Amino acid sequence: MSANGSVIQVNGLSKVYADGFEALKNVNLDITEGEIFALLGPNGAGKTTLINIICGIVNGSSGSVTIDGHDIVDGFRATRSLIGLVPQELTTETFESVWATVSFSRGLFGKPPDPGHLERVLKSLSLWDKKDNIIMTLSGGMKRRVLIAKALAHEPRILFLDEPTAGVDVELRQDMWAVVRDLRDSGVTIILTTHYIEEAEQIADRIGVINHGEIILVQDKDQLMRELGKKQLILDLDEPLDEFPQQLASYNLKFGAGPKEIIYSYDTQAKHTGITALLSELGSAGIRFHDVRTTQSSLEDIFVNLVKKIQ
Amino acid sequence: MNWFGIGAIYRFEMARMRRTLFQSIVAPVISTSLYFIVFGAAIGSRITEIDGVSYGSFIVPGLIMLSLLTESISNASFGIYFPRFSGTIYEVLSAPVSVVEIVLGYVGAAATKSIIIGGIILITANLFVDISVAHPIWMALFLLLTAVSFSLFGFILGVWADNWEKLAIVPTLIVTPLTFLGGSFYSISMLPEFWQKVTLFNPVVYLISGFRWSFYENADVAVGLSLAMTLAFLLVCLIAVSWIFKTGYRLRT
Ligand SMILES: Nc1ncnc2c1ncn2[C@@H]1O[C@H](COP(=O)(O)OP(=O)(O)O)[C@@H](O)[C@H]1O
Ligand SMILES: [Mg+2]
């Protein structure tokens, strides 16, 4: 690990597929040890390509990736031993039992058998009572759990989850986040991709946004929300209002759910939010209110704005 | 060396055979018996001896080679093609296993399976005819080399094929004819002179000839030449496999 605590370093990584399509364009990215990093981007942005190169499934065209100080090509043994991958597609064995497939995964990654560890993993994913079942007979959700168990079978220090919650039910989603948080607490670095923004918002420490094969932005989640987030001040009026008085025109007020709710949007980063002035002007215009609340724009809004701005 | 990794692949592949144990064992027993009934009884009543060996005994090495080749190719090609087809190959590609280790796992298991089947055929044949093995060590060597070479060949086939049809076409269109025309059921010397020459371009001739020599000490070509050709084929397959992994051909996009 390097001095600044980064465990994965992606340097100038590009990928041109055989058909000439440029899926990644000079990607630079540092992942900090122990963090949960969410890679956000629309379908086709290059998320899976990036992960597959780091994990050794796809060859990069140029640039390099270093994991824990080892190059992913020359030091593939060291780098791949550290990584667990839950792929996007539901690709499981068919005729094997759950126990056999997780044992296989552990062995494949060069670890001696450890039934105790596998038992803990299966229990944490509510798979223990299914351990002798043939994978073919399991539901889609259960198969996804099996893929997670396989990825954790060799005790990876870095876990990649590629669209882990696409088409997954609430129960599995909750179980999965519980497992992810436990892993993070034990020091595992987690990189997940998603196009559900609320997911990134809930769980990530840092967020990277990728679009058309380029990393547009990498930022601390809270900071991102603060910097790019617009806040809204919502006032519940005592009396309904027909229209806004002339002296309030500069505030760009809007009606909310009805004529008794007005919304004022402001930028949290601005020097003057204008809230104090607005409130006193409302008072002098004789508009009385009985409740005030604020809302912050979600990552979804931020994301949509970002992508729009770039295009 | 990632021994646990090799073991995991090997055991996984062997488990596939265990699941279809009945089919894996019963099929070769039945087909061998059929060959003896059809070829041994029908043709054997006309051709009583070839080079001083009864016809029934004469065809045993060829029969074993026939199964060894087809089983090696089909097991190894299916073993690597199926994970590519279903997508589960991602795990092997993302694991800390080298080319050599992947090949040892897949090809080792396929070769083991075909050697087991070769043994079953030998035992079954023994129920019908007298078999003597003049050079057991040479026999084992040819058995092993052939199983390994053709499992490697099957592995290459399974990497190259991008649909089921291609996977099936090479064995049926190329390997089976070569085996039948390679002297499984006759001695090359029984052919007209022209065809004897043509036959020498068939690599399977050398395998069968060498293998049969280890049984009955009679051969169509010198045993040293048989060994050399087998090793050459093995070498070609090894080079092809290392090229596949170096370039990521059909495995890593
Ligand atoms: N094997 C391939 N050959 C050619 N193009 C590909 C291949 N795999 C992915 N792509 C293309 O690369 C782009 C990025 O794909 P992907 O990394 O899967 O995106 P994401 O995971 O962000 O949805 C897409 O436009 C996709 O069509
Ligand atoms: Mg994807």
Side-chain angles (χ1 to χ4, degrees), chain A:
Chain A
M1 190 197 334
S2 65
N4 63 4
S6 97
V7 66
I8 301 178
Q9 288 144 326
V10 180
N11 301 311
L13 187 67
S14 296
K15 173 65 186 177
V16 182
Y17 279 111
D19 60 2
F21 184 82
E22 199 176 2
L24 292 178
K25 298 165 191 161
N26 189 29
V27 167
N28 292 290
L29 185 64
D30 264 30
I31 304 290
T32 310
E33 169 140 71
E35 73 174 336
I36 299 182
F37 186 90
L39 193 60
L40 265 174
N43 267 328
K47 304 181 295 292
T48 300
T49 302
L50 178 58
I51 288 187
N52 283 353
I53 292 174
I54 297 175
C55 293
I57 297 166
V58 168
N59 289 329
S61 303
S62 60
S64 67
V65 181
T66 308
I67 299 175
D68 203 16
H70 304 278
D71 181 77
I72 55 162
V73 179
D74 297 332
F76 76 94
R77 254 186 227 283
T79 64
R80 293 189 201 163
S81 305
L82 291 169
I83 296 178
L85 166 67
V86 182
Q88 177 174 354
E89 304 296 334
L90 206 53
T91 43
T92 50
E93 301 302 338
T94 313
F95 305 108
E96 296 277 299
S97 72
V98 171
W99 183 259
T101 201
V102 292
S103 305
F104 169 78
S105 298
R106 187 173 171 87
L108 193 61
F109 279 75
K111 288 283 174 74
D114 182 353
H117 173 72
L118 296 185
E119 181 176 341
R120 279 192 297 281
V121 168
L122 291 181
K123 281 184 171 158
S124 71
L125 289 159
S126 316
L127 277 173
W128 183 240
D129 58 331
K130 300 267 192 300
K131 73 180 170 64
D132 297 319
N133 289 31
I134 302 302
I135 298 171
M136 188 171 61
T137 66
L138 300 177
S139 67
M142 283 293 160
K143 284 180 184 155
R144 175 120 357 230
R145 287 170 196 257
V146 171
L147 285 182
I148 301 171
K150 280 166 76 69
L152 296 176
H154 68 281
E155 300 161 77
R157 300 302 303 150
I158 302 167
L159 180 66
F160 284 92
L161 296 155
D162 196 358
E163 312 256 354
T165 51
V168 150
D169 60 31
V170 180
E171 198 187 345
L172 172 52
R173 204 179 276 224
Q174 282 166 352
D175 278 8
M176 196 154 61
W177 293 147
V179 169
V180 164
R181 289 203 175 91
D182 278 355
L183 287 169
R184 203 258 307 262
D185 292 345
S186 69
V188 174
T189 308
I190 291 146
I191 296 103
L192 59 96
T193 73
T194 179
H195 50 246
Y196 296 131
I197 285 139
E198 76 234 31
E199 214 161 82
E201 203 166 338
Q202 275 169 23
I203 198 153
D205 300 314
R206 277 202 313 152
I207 288 172
V209 178
I210 183 170
N211 196 30
H212 296 306
E214 285 174 292
I215 301 270
I216 303 173
L217 153 144
V218 176
Q219 210 154 40
D220 194 74
K221 181 188 67 184
D222 296 330
Q223 200 183 343
L224 181 68
M225 304 279 292
R226 268 196 311 273
E227 278 181 19
L228 293 165
K230 283 254 189 319
K231 269 198 157 179
Q232 293 186 321
L233 181 73
I234 300 163
L235 299 153
D236 290 327
L237 307 182
D238 288 350
E239 302 290 333
L241 202 64
D242 294 333
E243 54 177 354
F244 297 114
Q246 198 56 48
Q247 73 249 47
L248 296 178
S250 64
Y251 292 98
N252 268 326
L253 295 175
K254 291 196 173 63
F255 285 109
K260 287 178 75 175
E261 188 176 293
I262 60 173
I263 298 173
Y264 169 57
S265 301
Y266 62 97
D267 189 342
T268 49
Q269 297 301 300
K271 264 210 178 98
H272 303 287
T273 59
I275 293 173
T276 323
L278 172 69
L279 295 185
S280 68
E281 297 244 25
L282 283 171
S284 59
I287 299 169
R288 300 170 58 81
F289 50 89
H290 57 263
D291 199 8
V292 181
R293 65 209 139 84
T294 63
T295 64
Q296 190 157 18
S297 55
S298 68
L299 260 174
E300 177 99 43
D301 309 326
I302 297 172
F303 180 65
V304 168
N305 283 336
L306 249 176
V307 172
K308 247 192 249 153
K309 224 187 296 174
I310 302 283
Q311 276 164 352

Side-chain angles (χ1 to χ4, degrees), chain B residues 84-101:
Chain B
R84 286 180 58 222
F85 172 77
S86 70
T88 53
I89 189 80
Y90 85 87
E91 200 178 13
V92 174
L93 294 179
S94 68
V97 284
S98 67
V99 181
V100 175
E101 290 154 355

